[in-house]
Amino acid sequence: MKNKTQLQGLDISYEYQDKEYVGYLSLPNDKVAPKPGVMLCPEFWGITGYIKWRADEYAALGYAAMVVDFYGAGEVATTAEHATELSTAVKNDPETAKGIFLAALDAFHRESIVDASRTAAVGYCFGGAMTLSMANAGIPLKAVMAFHSQVALPIMPNDKLTARVVVANGADDPFVSDESVETWTNAMDELDVYYEYITYPGVTHAYTNKNADAKAKEFDLPLDYNEEADKDSWNRVQDLLAEVFSADEEE
């Protein structure tokens, strides 16, 4: 994984209800506009080097990418307890979370290189739940993909959802109960939308993050990087984005 000095993006500020938020913007080297956009919602730690690196990876695919700051001032949690406190406050106030996301989206779309009509979103852990909730709130996203994400959501699936939806979780993720998956899939089945729920046998939480094992040891959390699941889910999100954005070009 790239270290901070190798990151290619830059901080981007936006406001919501008189509070400053600091996201991370990464643009492709090919500046021929307009580019489809990918919004990234981070893990419950906040905007870490990992999620910035992920944004750079989406930019390397040719997409404009922006990480949403849900906490304000680009705050990064220093302990698991702190991260839980910050993320729980956001999840418990979905209307404010939606407002923060929309403010970030507006800042993203003001970038001249970004095609505002072609935007998708991805999310990791806490960010996966937020990404799914933002689509369920009716925000016009072409597709969303959630990685190692809970599906007991602040905003559950409803008829406002128009995005294509993919969720990729470890079968042994202790934060995702079988009951919550059944409830979520039943809700999705009632809607006329495309969705896919992918399960990786023997895989637990935070499987995309190569720092997961160190975090697990430091904070005594059930986290574990899994190279096979990481690669498979990365291929799947590339296919999803290529499909929804190429379909727009053909219309």
Side-chain angles (χ1 to χ4, degrees):
M1 193 174 81
K2 300 174 185 175
N3 62 38
K4 186 174 182 180
T5 60
Q6 294 174 300
L7 295 171
Q8 70 176 36
L10 51 87
D11 291 341
I12 178 171
S13 297
Y14 56 97
E15 289 188 0
Y16 178 70
Q17 293 186 342
D18 297 323
K19 182 175 179 178
E20 183 183 26
Y21 295 82
V22 182
Y24 177 80
L25 177 69
S26 187
L27 301 176
N29 291 328
D30 172 13
K31 296 299 192 295
V32 178
K35 299 293 187 186
V38 179
M39 298 284 285
L40 286 80
C41 297
E43 298 170 310
F44 78 159
W45 305 106
I47 302 185
T48 61
Y50 165 70
I51 199 67
K52 291 180 179 180
W53 170 77
R54 278 290 178 194
D56 286 353
E57 291 291 284
Y58 286 100
L61 297 175
Y63 305 122
M66 180 170 172
V67 182
V68 181
D69 172 19
F70 281 104
Y71 298 159
E75 184 171 6
V76 176
T78 55
T79 66
E81 291 77 13
H82 187 203
T84 299
E85 178 184 350
L86 290 170
S87 61
T88 299
V90 175
K91 288 188 289 187
N92 287 346
D93 189 355
E95 282 302 311
T96 295
K98 179 182 176 182
I100 293 168
F101 186 92
L102 286 172
L105 187 64
D106 180 63
F108 189 41
H109 285 169
R110 288 200 299 269
E111 297 292 320
S112 60
I113 196 174
V114 180
D115 184 347
S117 69
R118 294 191 294 162
T119 304
V122 298
Y124 298 80
C125 302
F126 157 73
M130 299 316 300
T131 297
L132 295 171
S133 293
M134 296 303 99
N136 293 337
I139 294 174
L141 301 164
K142 295 294 183 181
V144 295
M145 183 161 176
F147 303 79
H148 36 90
S149 167
Q150 292 182 346
V151 288
L153 305 171
I155 304 175
M156 288 295 286
N158 60 80
D159 57 11
K160 294 181 180 179
L161 174 64
T162 59
R164 293 171 66 89
V165 178
V166 177
V167 178
N169 281 341
D172 295 342
D173 190 328
F175 299 110
V176 182
S177 69
D178 292 341
E179 293 78 12
S180 70
V181 175
E182 182 178 5
T183 297
W184 182 82
T185 53
N186 287 342
M188 291 295 291
D189 286 339
E190 294 179 1
L191 304 175
D192 184 23
V193 296
Y194 171 89
Y195 83 93
E196 187 175 5
Y197 189 89
I198 300 155
T199 303
Y200 297 117
V203 175
T204 183
H205 196 62
Y207 65 79
T208 66
N209 191 336
K210 292 181 180 179
N211 297 325
D213 295 347
K215 291 282 191 183
K217 184 177 180 179
E218 182 178 2
F219 298 109
D220 191 26
L221 294 171
L223 315 177
D224 188 25
Y225 174 71
N226 185 283
E227 183 177 8
E228 184 177 349
D230 181 23
K231 289 182 177 179
D232 183 79
S233 60
W234 178 239
N235 288 333
R236 288 176 184 271
V237 75
Q238 290 180 72
D239 290 344
L240 176 67
L241 295 174
E243 182 177 354
V244 296
F245 292 143
S246 63
D248 287 342
E249 292 177 347
E250 293 170 2
E251 292 179 354

